[in-house]
Amino acid sequence: MPDASDIPELPRALRAPEPVIITGMVAWLVATVVVWVTGWGGDRAVQVCLVGLAVGVLGTTIFLVQRAASRRGDRTAQEGLD
């Protein structure tokens, strides 16, 4: 079985969370606009899309706060977010 030191690290482009965050937020935004303009799914669908946007904003905020704490060197911050 290979050591952990023998396994190469993934390139930064494959580890970066930013493209995933941006893609998810844009997808929720597009879904919200489409549902709102066309009326597909009624009010419930608009609520689901708005909650999806809110969860995305909350998750992004938590991620950015944790990354800032990690870069500052706080003991309680998550590791590997740089």
Side-chain angles (χ1 to χ4, degrees), residues 27-41:
W28 277 114
L29 184 61
V30 168
T32 302
V33 170
V34 167
V35 168
W36 203 333
V37 169
T38 63
W40 289 344

Side-chain angles (χ1 to χ4, degrees), residues 1-7:
M1 187 148 111
D3 288 342
S5 62
D6 295 342
I7 300 173

Side-chain angles (χ1 to χ4, degrees), residues 6-73:
D6 295 342
I7 300 173
E9 190 171 312
L10 287 174
R12 172 77 177 133
L14 295 177
R15 293 183 287 127
E18 292 86 1
V20 176
I21 292 170
I22 292 169
T23 303
M25 294 293 289
V26 168
W28 277 114
L29 184 61
V30 168
T32 302
V33 170
V34 167
V35 168
W36 203 333
V37 169
T38 63
W40 289 344
D43 291 339
R44 185 85 161 163
V46 174
Q47 290 174 356
V48 169
C49 289
L50 291 175
V51 168
L53 279 172
V55 168
V57 168
L58 177 65
T60 302
T61 302
I62 291 170
F63 171 76
L64 292 174
V65 167
Q66 283 293 319
R67 179 166 38 176
S70 176
R71 288 181 176 172
R72 279 193 314 267

